[in-house]
Amino acid sequence: MARAVYRGRGWQALYKRLYQAYGPQYWWPTHDRRNPRFEILVGAVLVQHTAWRNVEKAMSSLCRAGPLTAETLLAHEDLESLIRSAGTYRIKAARLRNLCQWFIDAGGFAAIATWDTEQLCQSLRALSGLGPETADVIALYAFERPRFIADAYAFRLFARYSGQDECSRYDDLARLVMDRLGSSVTVDFYNELHALIVAHAKQICHKRQPACRHCILADHCAHRQSQLFQNTVPTTEYYSHHQ
DNA sequence: ACCCAGGGTCATA
DNA sequence: TATGACCATGGG
């Protein structure tokens, strides 16, 4: 049986094609299985503007220093040096302390689980050092709320794919995508969608020069279409005929 | 030597 | 509202 081909342009079709190409991404990755949900809070802060491999080093030294709990992190006098390899470590140490205190004051996972999603996201964004993206990452991966992560990769993909860059703010793109997807979309969908967008951006849709020749979305991508149009005149065939 | 990475804050104009 | 400087390590 031939596998299905998804020809639609919408986000549902885009998801299916990405999934078909890259498969499940198994996010959020965890280092220590004892406190997997709290580790997501920590990782979400550490990974800000940082390659994940550097977060892994910081996470492993954190786990070596004690259990990954809010109380233990607050007790670390040398938190800065423990997370040094994640970069911007003074800032991130302060942000982690903020987050840990918030978590304790809120009453932990059981209490926060009863919060409304909007309430949760607003509360997270109110913390110094947690912007819209980190707040949504925590809401989605640690608290299993349906949120679209409108990160730099999503902006890039959307701008190239649709050919329009009308969205400039985080909330504009997040709202646009969530409205189009509708309320029936599951948390698992958003979980996988963000991970797939990251995988696709890393492998194909780079910042400078996207590898459009290998892109599985190229047939519907505005950026690819404009590239093909520009390349219609100066082909090697043309010059070989006219030299 | 430069650019980038699973961002966010703060100071200017 | 919209840029720019800054944070800072590590890999390509």
Side-chain angles (χ1 to χ4, degrees):
Chain A
M1 167 179 166
R3 68 181 190 180
V5 177
Y6 301 99
R7 299 196 172 279
R9 287 181 161 78
W11 284 89
Q12 290 273 8
L14 188 142
Y15 171 89
K16 288 176 181 172
R17 295 174 71 170
L18 289 178
Y19 188 87
Q20 216 172 48
Y22 303 109
Q25 301 297 304
Y26 306 107
W27 276 33
W28 185 277
T30 51
H31 174 89
D32 185 348
R33 305 233 176 257
R34 284 174 294 183
N35 306 95
R37 294 184 72 198
F38 190 78
E39 185 178 329
I40 295 170
L41 306 199
V42 178
V45 170
L46 292 180
V47 80
Q48 287 176 345
H49 197 67
T50 301
W52 182 253
R53 58 178 176 273
N54 294 333
V55 175
E56 290 179 316
K57 297 174 186 172
M59 195 67 79
S60 107
S61 62
L62 263 184
C63 290
R64 252 182 276 120
L68 220 53
T69 67
E71 292 78 5
T72 308
L73 259 58
L74 283 173
H76 285 318
E77 301 281 346
D78 56 344
L79 185 58
E80 282 83 353
S81 60
L82 286 173
I83 64 171
R84 179 180 160 278
S85 59
T88 58
Y89 53 87
R90 294 185 189 89
I91 288 173
K92 285 175 180 175
R95 291 177 180 180
L96 279 180
R97 292 195 180 97
N98 282 343
L99 184 58
C100 286
Q101 195 57 57
W102 169 88
F103 184 78
I104 292 171
D105 294 341
F109 284 112
I112 299 171
T114 67
W115 295 7
D116 181 68
T117 296
E118 289 302 322
Q119 180 187 357
L120 171 62
C121 291
Q122 270 202 328
S123 179
L124 285 166
R125 287 191 195 197
L127 287 173
S128 175
L130 293 210
E133 182 177 335
T134 309
D136 277 353
V137 162
I138 291 173
L140 171 60
Y141 290 102
F143 294 98
E144 300 180 349
R145 310 303 177 96
R147 304 292 290 184
F148 178 75
I149 311 300
D151 64 346
Y153 294 147
F155 273 96
R156 215 154 70 208
L157 178 58
F158 179 78
R160 283 174 178 158
Y161 188 74
S162 71
Q164 49 189 336
D165 52 355
E166 54 195 34
C167 286
S168 57
R169 298 183 192 130
Y170 182 95
D171 287 321
D172 291 343
L173 181 57
R175 185 59 56 195
L176 177 80
V177 174
M178 290 195 285
D179 284 349
R180 285 189 186 173
L181 284 171
S183 56
S184 63
V185 179
T186 64
V187 169
D188 288 337
F189 181 93
Y190 281 113
N191 178 318
E192 202 66 48
L193 176 60
H194 173 56
L196 286 168
I197 288 174
V198 172
H200 183 66
K202 282 181 174 174
Q203 297 180 36
I204 303 292
C205 208
H206 305 107
K207 190 170 189 178
R208 297 286 176 179
Q209 208 163 11
C212 299
R213 278 77 188 169
H214 305 106
C215 181
I216 53 158
L217 306 174
D219 56 343
H220 289 157
C221 182
H223 181 260
R224 174 58 168 161
Q225 299 310 315
S226 66
Q227 263 195 338
L228 289 172
F229 180 75
Q230 287 173 0
N231 291 338
T232 45
V233 177
T235 59
T236 50
E237 271 192 12
Y238 178 87
Y239 287 109
S240 65
H241 276 289
H242 293 270
Q243 63 188 1

